[in-house]
Amino acid sequence: MYIPPWKNAILLVMNTPHKNRYLEFAHRLISTMKQAGHTDTRSPSGISVKTLAETMGVSEQICRRYLRGDALPDYEKIVGIARFLSISPGWLLFGQK
């Protein structure tokens, strides 16, 4: 079974307990969502958690964890949000184009 290189990289990041990587992902996600106009003035992150949850097909609670840098979504969710925001999954995870 062929596994794309970016998918292996996603699995590596997800299995690495580095809080810094989670925070970097959260920062890129927040900045991209703000640039795309998905904001909410009542949210601590300034992001519409409801929009993110609906787009990813997950609960608002887990989205808050993503935005705080407490967790990373699985690769299917990352690919879905990257498509929604018209960015690459690699950039969202690693800051690479």
Side-chain angles (χ1 to χ4, degrees):
M1 180 173 110
Y2 173 74
I3 299 175
W6 61 266
K7 192 179 270 191
N8 282 334
I10 291 171
L11 294 174
L12 176 66
V13 169
M14 289 172 53
N15 293 325
T16 305
H18 295 293
K19 175 74 172 175
N20 203 26
R21 290 183 193 247
Y22 291 13
L23 291 172
E24 290 169 0
F25 168 82
H27 176 72
R28 284 189 291 275
L29 179 59
I30 290 167
S31 66
T32 305
M33 288 195 69
K34 284 182 179 179
Q35 289 173 359
H38 303 291
T39 59
D40 183 352
T41 57
R42 295 178 292 150
S43 171
S45 64
I47 297 302
S48 175
V49 176
K50 183 175 182 177
T51 300
L52 183 60
E54 290 172 354
T55 301
M56 295 180 78
V58 296
S59 71
E60 290 183 23
Q61 181 179 2
I62 191 66
C63 287
R64 286 184 192 95
R65 292 191 64 212
Y66 300 152
L67 293 170
R68 284 192 311 259
D70 292 338
L72 279 179
D74 62 32
Y75 68 87
E76 287 121 3
K77 304 289 186 218
I78 292 171
V79 170
I81 194 67
R83 281 189 192 134
F84 174 72
L85 295 170
S86 301
I87 57 174
S88 76
W91 182 84
L92 191 55
L93 276 173
F94 306 110
Q96 302 170 349
K97 298 251 178 200

